[in-house]
């Protein structure tokens, strides 16, 4: 939502972003600009975008766009905002004590938390790991209950 | 007291025989004799310290009177720029100005001499005043105003001095140990004060004259600092060429007031600024930048003075350029620093950690190093079961500690290399000094050899070899001279 961050709407754009970000963590936020939690997350992303610009790139993806539904289905995005991390076109997983390791659900409590998470992903990725553990203490991690849709 | 006075009289009368024809040298003697008390001086006719004229002669000299006359006429004539074609040195006005410079220095010295005179005379009346009021002219004015008055509340000192000092003076006067002066001494003192004030006035006139001609003499300098300050600088330096020869740091300090009166705060006194303080550029800079501005000003004005002294630029253009430069620099200092951009964080693990080395780190690491004792305890001999703390293989093993094969239970507390080095040095120093009886490592606790640990002195081996007279080769007590740690 911020004017500093790119919003991606088409599949091609998302593809380009994932492919072309080399040696930097790509942070893709899936969400809607009208939602308050999304707004909060976007604010944090915008503030820290310059600080981590040397090792991370941030982009926003609007899940209301049609072309993006493919990705939403692929990543199994139910709750928003959800953040997915990539490094050199590899999908990075993070174990933060929640059930879902493939993405980060929800917002962060403060900017430093977000930077810590991105740094952990970067370090893990540089070492060649595909899954890293979360550096945040459990209190700072937003918990969500996964209710199955349509059952 | 009478005997003292008589003995002094006797001494001085001897001196007076040699000195009667030359009253000038009195001043030097007088300086030593001040403690005698002025009353004694008055009786001695040989020492003419009594008479103002003997110490202050400037006003009587021909030179002084000539120059003052000329200055008066020149001041009345108004500014008169003589023809530019003339070479500077031939111009009579220039000569007059050069003379004025010399004269102003002389006047200053004269004022100091007279101030000493007044001070000595007035000491009887109000001794503390000289330490409260330093400036000679202020002192003279005060003395004139107070006269022989004992009660200072009757004297109105407003306008002569800043009110803080007036207050201190009044308070001190109420508790002073001085007495009234006799009339003739008083008259002489007042006379001297008048003389001092007249000299001060003359100096002001001279300076005014020089100032009015400043634009002609030193155009560049007066463009930068203003003609009043330029005149003062030139006057104190003793001429334009003298000013030009001074390094800029000296120019900065010309005219700086030195003393701060005892008891007054030094927080307000500005350091290291002289006449330049009165320059307009200096006054208009904010206080935080004043020191830098003063240094800059002194440097550029020295340059201008040098240009002027060789008459390199009579139009004053150099001065204007320099002034512009100064102004620009001061403005640049005042502009706010550029806004800080938030720096992006560095890539994690991209910068290798700077490892430090050196003696300090080595010493720190030694504290955690494995000691010899632990090394011995870690090793074991083949085929020989080790002893342990709880016996029978239970508890901590002792390894080679205390094994017969290793030589001794006495484990030397081997010191680190560093400490060894230090100990060797200290030991060598001690060797030349003490009888070398005991070294600091021998313990007074005496364990029997079977149990416990004895600290051996690793230097004792050195000692044995040190005494060169007896060879230790066949010695029974001597061991290897150099034991390498394994």
């Amino acid at each position: 939502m911020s004017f500093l961050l790119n919003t991606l709407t088409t599949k091609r754009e998302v593809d380009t972003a994932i492919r072309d970000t080399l040696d930097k963590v790509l942070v893709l936020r899936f969400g809607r600009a009208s939602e308050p939690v999304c707004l909060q997350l976007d604010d944090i992303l915008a503030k820290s975008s310059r600080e981590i610009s040397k090792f991370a790139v941030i982009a926003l993806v609007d899940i209301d766009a049609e072309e993006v539904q493919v990705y939403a289905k692929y990543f199994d995005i139910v709750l928003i905002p959800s953040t997915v991390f990539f490094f050199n076109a590899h999908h990075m997983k993070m174990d933060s004590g929640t059930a879902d390791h493939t993405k980060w659900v929800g917002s962060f409590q403060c900017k430093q938390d977000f930077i810590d998470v991105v740094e952990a992903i970067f370090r893990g990725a540089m070492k060649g790991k595909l899954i890293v553990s979360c550096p945040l203490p459990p209190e700072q991690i937003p918990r969500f209950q996964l209710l199955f849709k349509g059952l | 007291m009478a005997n003292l006075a008589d003995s002094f009289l006797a001494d001085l009368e001897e001196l007076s025989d040699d000195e009667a024809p030359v009253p000038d040298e009195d001043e030097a003697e007088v300086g030593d004799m001040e403690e005698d008390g002025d009353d004694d001086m008055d009786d001695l006719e040989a020492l003419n310290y009594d008479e103002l004229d003997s110490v202050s002669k400037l006003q009587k000299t021909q030179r002084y009177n000539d120059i003052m006359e000329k200055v008066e006429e020149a001041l009345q004539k108004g500014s008169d720029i003589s023809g530019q074609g003339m070479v500077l040195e031939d111009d009579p006005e220039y000569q007059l100005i050069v003379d004025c410079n010399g004269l102003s220095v002389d006047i200053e010295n004269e004022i100091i001499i007279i101030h000493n005179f007044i001070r000595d005379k007035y000491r009887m009346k109000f001794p503390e005043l000289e330490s409260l009021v330093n400036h000679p002219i202020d002192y003279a004015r005060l003395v004139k105003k107070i006269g022989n008055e004992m009660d200072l509340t009757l004297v109105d000192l407003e306008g002569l001095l800043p009110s803080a000092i007036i207050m201190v003076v009044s308070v001190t006067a109420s508790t002073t140990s001085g007495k009234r002066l006799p009339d003739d001494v008083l008259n002489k003192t007042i006379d001297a004060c008048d003389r001092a004030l007249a000299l001060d006035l003359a100096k002001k006139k001279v300076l005014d004259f020089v100032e009015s001609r400043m634009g002609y003499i030193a155009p560049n300098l007066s463009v930068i600092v203003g003609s009043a300050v330029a005149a003062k600088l030139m006057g104190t330096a003793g001429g334009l060429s003298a000013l030009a020869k001074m390094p800029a740091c000296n120019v900065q300090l010309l005219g700086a007031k030195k003393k701060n009166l005892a008891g007054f705060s030094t927080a307000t006194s500005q350091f290291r600024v002289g006449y330049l303080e009165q320059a307009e550029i200096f006054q208009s800079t904010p206080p935080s930048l004043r020191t830098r501005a003063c240094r800059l000003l002194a440097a550029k004005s020295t340059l201008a003075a040098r240009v002027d002294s060789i008459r390199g630029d009579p139009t004053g253009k150099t001065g204007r350029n320099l002034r512009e430069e100064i102004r620009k620099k001061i403005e640049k200092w005042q502009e706010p620093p550029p806004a800080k951009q938030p720096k992006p964080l560095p890539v994690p693990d991209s910068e290798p950690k700077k490892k430090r080395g050196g003696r300090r780190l080595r010493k720190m690491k030694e504290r955690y190093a494995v000691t010899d004792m632990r090394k011995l305890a870690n090793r074991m001999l083949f085929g020989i079961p080790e002893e342990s703390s709880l016996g029978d293989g239970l508890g901590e093993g002792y390894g080679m500690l205390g094994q017969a094969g290793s030589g001794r239970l006495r484990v030397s507390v081997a010191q680190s290399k560093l400490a060894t080095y230090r100990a060797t040095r200290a030991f060598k120093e001690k060797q030349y000094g003490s009888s070398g009886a005991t070294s600091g490592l021998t313990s007074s606790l005496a364990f029997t050899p079977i149990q416990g640990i004895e600290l051996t002195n690793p230097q004792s081996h050195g000692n044995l070899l040190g005494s060169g007279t007896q060879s230790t080769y066949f010695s029974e007590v001597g061991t290897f001279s150099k034991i390498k740690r394994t």
Side-chain angles (χ1 to χ4, degrees), chain B residues 72 86 121 153 399 434:
Chain B
E72 301 269 345
M86 224 187 294
K121 294 283 187 225
T153 54
S434 70

Side-chain angles (χ1 to χ4, degrees), chain A residues 50-51 53-55 119 122-123, chain B residues 341-342 344-349:
Chain A
R50 189 183 153 83
E51 284 197 9
S53 57
K54 285 200 172 173
F55 55 93
E119 186 184 330
F122 182 82
R123 278 188 205 263
Chain B
Q341 292 276 21
L345 296 170
V347 178
D349 289 341

